Amino acid sequence: MTTLSPELRKAFEETQYHVLHQAPFLLQVGQAQAALSALYQQHQTDCSCFITAFNPMGELLDKEENIERHAQLGRALGAAGLAALPAVAQHPANGWPAEPGYLVIGLGRDDAQRWAAQWEQLAVVWTSTDTVPQLLETRVPGWMR
């Protein structure tokens, strides 16, 4: 069973996830990204995920609230000992505001979904050894869209 409407799923899939690394690169659902292989090798892992704390449950918050949530997420990732690179999600055409987040290196599929649920996100973009980002819906208790 899916929780995202087809329109919302399409928006997530069309969004571009800009990883702000030494040599910046772009993640897009369904498109392999070779730059991930080097990161995986450097960090001795085989997976990563893009996560944001902006706009929980897909509801727009004001700028200050989003900035504070982003800072809290960054602190939580650091406290958990997770390697995280700054990143920004931006749809190329739909007018939804850019959402800063992090590319978390070495976060497994189940953990990625748990973090997303904890930060009230509808989905995360997760990538394994094949370096092809995929959209993972989050099951947030008590919510269905």
Side-chain angles (χ1 to χ4, degrees), residues 2-65:
T2 184
T3 58
L4 298 177
S5 69
E7 297 79 17
L8 191 52
R9 173 171 275 285
K10 183 174 190 263
F12 274 111
E13 291 172 348
E14 292 172 346
T15 294
Q16 298 172 337
Y17 302 86
H18 303 266
V19 179
L20 309 174
H21 190 49
Q22 296 163 342
F25 60 91
L26 181 72
L27 297 176
Q28 193 142 15
V29 173
Q31 298 178 16
Q33 175 47 265
L36 287 174
S37 294
L39 277 177
Y40 291 171
Q41 187 174 26
Q42 177 186 352
H43 291 272
Q44 299 178 351
T45 191
D46 62 357
C47 57
S48 62
C49 90
F50 172 87
I51 187 169
T52 183
F54 267 52
N55 303 317
M57 308 304 283
E59 300 298 326
L60 284 171
L61 293 182
D62 67 41
K63 183 177 179 178
E64 292 76 25
E65 287 179 279

Side-chain angles (χ1 to χ4, degrees), residues 109-129:
R109 181 185 183 104
D110 292 342
D111 287 335
Q113 288 180 302
R114 275 193 286 279
W115 275 81
Q118 178 182 343
W119 290 91
E120 301 175 291
Q121 297 300 303
L122 302 176
V124 292
V125 174
W126 185 78
T127 309
S128 67
T129 55

Side-chain angles (χ1 to χ4, degrees), residues 54-121:
F54 267 52
N55 303 317
M57 308 304 283
E59 300 298 326
L60 284 171
L61 293 182
D62 67 41
K63 183 177 179 178
E64 292 76 25
E65 287 179 279
N66 276 327
I67 290 170
E68 178 56 30
R69 286 178 58 84
H70 178 70
Q72 289 172 359
L73 174 58
R75 288 190 296 270
L77 291 168
L82 294 167
L85 301 174
V88 177
Q90 177 68 69
H91 191 281
N94 74 359
W96 186 263
E99 295 189 357
Y102 299 95
L103 180 69
V104 184
I105 310 299
L107 196 60
R109 181 185 183 104
D110 292 342
D111 287 335
Q113 288 180 302
R114 275 193 286 279
W115 275 81
Q118 178 182 343
W119 290 91
E120 301 175 291
Q121 297 300 303

